[in-house]
Amino acid sequence: KENLSLIRIETKEAVFGIREAKGLEFSDVVILDFFASITDQTEHHKEWKRLLLWSDKSKTRDTAYVPVTMELEIKLLYTAITRSCNRLIFIETRQSQGFDAWCRCLQGRNLAQMVQASTMNESGSKSAIMTPDEWSVEGLEMASLAEDETAEASVGLLERAISHFHMAGAASHYLEIRAEAQIRAIQLEQDAQRHDSSVEGEPSPEAVIDAIGATLAYLEAGMLTDSSRVCTAYDMDHNLATLRKRIMRLTSDNSRHETNRTDLGSALAVDEVET
């Protein structure tokens, strides 16, 4: 067990014995079968149970006694736990009194979440171990990929990003709103292209309405460049030409200081656009 070799170094995943890992640190650590591998299953597990589940009132000289062999196990457990900088996961392939006591000890102090492998699918497994920040980062990566894809592929990636932002919780709610606005903008831009039956250089009224909706949705998503692009494509219409000028002015202002997304929306409110 202590002589496991490194594997998959190129993906920064490695397998170590606990002693081999001493002095190293990792973002995430999985400790496999620590309690299941304890040799004296009966006596040692009773000692772990007694040590972990004693009450403050029962802390006496007798209850504080720890066998020498168990001291070595405690030191190994300490070494294994302190290798982790972010997430620590215990996996036990069979039940034991020691692991049950360990789980009760941690859960009683709100330090751990118990997950039963038999009741988990892939999605449930991921949600059990990912932090809100990690859900948010993955969602942002998907949203970023959507910018270079076709409209249909972009919508699919953004829908996945929205589900990730939702899993991230309230802190990422604004990202969820922006991704939803981007989907709406893509769909309205497609509608504008379908309705664009220009007559003497003038876009159809339906195309103009869709283009204005797409422009405002891109603004809600914080995408000034895309909103300007849509306006430019239909700037033969007076309303969209006016919108484009305002966006260019806001873009210029934004290069000097950060502009609040709400201010952008109010500066280009729908009721200021003649339709």
Side-chain angles (χ1 to χ4, degrees):
K1 180 179 178 181
E2 300 301 334
N3 295 317
L4 293 173
S5 60
L6 298 180
I7 63 170
R8 299 184 66 184
I9 297 299
E10 69 278 4
T11 57
K12 298 182 181 179
E13 297 178 15
V15 176
F16 290 95
I18 294 176
R19 293 186 180 88
E20 289 177 318
K22 191 172 182 179
L24 303 177
E25 289 185 343
F26 305 91
S27 176
D28 304 321
V29 170
V30 176
I31 300 176
L32 175 64
D33 275 342
F34 177 84
F35 290 92
S37 66
I38 294 176
T39 52
D40 191 339
Q41 292 293 318
T42 303
E43 291 304 320
H44 276 209
H45 282 288
K46 287 182 179 179
E47 293 295 340
W48 275 102
K49 184 177 181 180
R50 181 178 60 80
L51 177 68
L52 292 168
L53 299 181
W54 66 13
S55 67
D56 290 335
K57 293 180 180 180
S58 67
K59 288 182 179 179
T60 64
R61 182 181 299 276
D62 292 335
T63 58
Y65 169 75
V66 175
V68 174
T69 52
M70 190 175 170
E71 287 184 10
L72 298 176
E73 292 166 359
I74 293 172
K75 289 178 180 179
L76 276 178
L77 181 61
Y78 173 82
T79 300
I81 290 173
T82 52
R83 299 313 94 204
S84 171
C85 299
N86 182 21
R87 292 178 304 185
L88 180 65
I89 302 167
F90 281 85
I91 296 178
E92 295 283 317
T93 58
R94 62 177 182 268
Q95 284 189 315
S96 64
Q97 292 185 55
F99 184 61
D100 289 344
W102 176 247
C103 291
R104 288 169 60 188
C105 177
L106 295 179
Q107 288 179 290
R109 293 165 173 77
N110 294 319
L111 296 175
Q113 178 183 2
M114 190 71 173
V115 179
Q116 293 292 340
S118 59
T119 61
M120 287 168 49
N121 54 29
E122 182 180 356
S123 175
S125 174
K126 197 171 184 180
S127 64
I129 65 174
M130 285 184 65
T131 65
D133 284 345
E134 287 168 332
W135 280 112
S136 182
V137 167
E138 278 201 8
L140 286 169
E141 289 174 353
M142 291 177 186
S144 177
L145 290 173
E147 297 179 12
D148 300 321
E149 295 292 338
T150 62
E152 183 178 355
S154 293
V155 169
L157 284 167
L158 287 167
E159 287 174 344
R160 291 178 61 192
I162 288 169
S163 69
H164 279 61
F165 296 145
H166 181 74
M167 293 298 296
S172 294
H173 182 59
Y174 77 100
L175 294 173
E176 191 175 345
I177 292 173
R178 290 178 68 164
E180 289 171 348
Q182 188 176 347
I183 290 176
R184 194 164 63 251
I186 291 170
Q187 293 170 339
L188 284 167
E189 186 177 1
Q190 285 185 301
D191 291 342
Q193 292 168 355
R194 282 194 293 268
H195 292 148
D196 188 13
S197 54
S198 299
V199 179
E200 296 181 356
E202 292 291 329
S204 67
E206 293 86 354
V208 170
I209 292 172
D210 291 333
I212 291 173
T215 299
L216 296 174
Y218 275 127
L219 285 172
E220 185 180 352
M223 303 175 72
L224 290 174
T225 301
D226 288 278
S227 62
S228 179
R229 173 179 54 76
V230 174
C231 286
T232 300
Y234 295 91
D235 67 354
M236 65 285 294
D237 177 82
H238 169 72
N239 297 307
L240 285 161
T242 301
L243 274 174
R244 184 172 65 84
K245 290 177 182 178
R246 293 184 179 182
I247 292 169
M248 291 177 65
R249 186 166 63 249
L250 287 168
T251 303
S252 176
D253 292 342
N254 202 37
S255 64
R256 294 192 298 269
H257 58 82
E258 183 178 357
T259 306
N260 184 279
R261 180 168 55 85
T262 303
D263 293 337
L264 289 175
S266 61
L268 289 160
V270 180
D271 59 2
E272 291 186 13
V273 180
E274 298 176 7
T275 56

